[in-house]
Amino acid sequence: MTTYLAKPDNLVMRQTKTEAVKFGVIGYGYWGPNVVRNLDQLDGSRVVAVSDQSSAALKRAAKAYPHVLVSPDSADVISSAEIDAVAIVTPVWTHHELTKAALENGKHVFVEKPFTSNAAQAEELINLAARKNLKIMVDHTFLFTGAVRKIRQLLNEGVLGDVYYYDSTRVNLGLFQHDINVIWDLAPHDLSIIDNVIKEEPEAISATGQTHLNGHEDIAFITVYFPNKVIAHINVNWISPVKVRTTLIGGEKKMLVWNDLEVDEKLKIYDKGVDVKSQEGVYSRLVSYRSGDMWAPKVEQVEALKVELSYFIECITGNTDPFNDGHAGLKVVRMLEAANQSLSKRGEVVYL
Ligand SMILES: NC(=O)c1ccc[n+]([C@@H]2O[C@H](COP(=O)([O-])OP(=O)(O)OC[C@H]3O[C@@H](n4cnc5c(N)ncnc54)[C@H](O)[C@@H]3O)[C@@H](O)[C@H]2O)c1
């Protein structure tokens, strides 16, 4: 049975946003309110309905957005003729079923990371969206941060030279997830970033980790192997006493440190490195260490989710495919699956 806790009454907003893409949002827990807030504020979109199985969540949504329909039944959002696109902000095990239902009902889909629980589900959704000419965007929010956009620019312009390694530490105390391990919770961020900024395609993965508290690994170390000796390492942990969000990218010409907890100088580029020269006719190698200047490039201060949702609206209205589409989501899911497989064999290398 459908219960509507609030009805549309904000006619002023409806009149000023007549051309807007109309959204339904499923899931109003921790992250859902951020999605609703941005879609409500953007000129190109309007939130028509919010669904959540929790009555407490629905009450919060109805209080914050009295003009929006709220319902405990996601089918009300998915089948509504008034809605063009659905944002799915629920736990990963629900993503496949909800995305499939939304696509079958002719809706474009913005779905949270990780895209699905396995690669077969992702492939099915990609094919369904293609058949129906609908868009899927997977919320890889970090790709829209000023820091990652600057990193991509620096790498594309060759400022760092050829990449040697990407080494990320993403640790904090909690938030424990009940349905997935720490890899599926935190590593999608780094896996989507490396897929986006490293030109080579990953070849293999190895992962180790341990379960201490609730039956899911709460600490893990993932290594991703790429061609041309590029290597990535990701340290994810829910039982760290301090929050750390630090990534090092070592390049042939320069080295970069990204501290995402810094407010002003998130990125620092170091003109440091090692030059190795072989002398003709001499077997010994000459190694010299370079230690030059450090500089902090300007990083745009934007709410990444706002930029991303605005881009999704452009993709829908302009009928273009987002770069963070189902295929990008599938690549991350494949790496997550390989990491889990390796984890169960104490770090055995799994080829992609
Ligand atoms: N992009 C990011 O930076 C980011 C940050 C946090 C969470 N997330 C992702 O967002 C998703 C949700 O995470 P969260 O932390 O908000 O979880 P959460 O548990 O706080 O909220 C999920 C909400 O979905 C509701 N729900 C579950 N199944 C439903 C269904 N079938 N119909 C309607 N409502 C349903 C629950 O009642 C709950 O309120 C996850 O995939 C997570 O990985 C992404």
Side-chain angles (χ1 to χ4, degrees), residues 5 67 160 315 337:
L5 300 179
H67 57 284
L160 272 61
C315 289
E337 274 191 313

Side-chain angles (χ1 to χ4, degrees), residues 7-25:
K7 296 212 179 295
D9 57 4
N10 189 339
L11 293 174
V12 176
M13 168 162 262
R14 298 185 125 233
Q15 278 160 12
T16 55
K17 286 193 170 190
T18 44
E19 298 306 313
V21 178
K22 284 162 272 161
F23 274 86
V25 180

Side-chain angles (χ1 to χ4, degrees), residues 129-150:
R131 277 204 307 280
K132 296 242 176 197
N133 195 22
L134 292 165
K135 310 291 172 208
I136 295 178
M137 177 177 280
V138 181
D139 182 10
H140 289 149
T141 325
F142 268 98
L143 305 185
F144 296 85
T145 57
V148 173
R149 292 195 302 168
K150 179 58 81 175

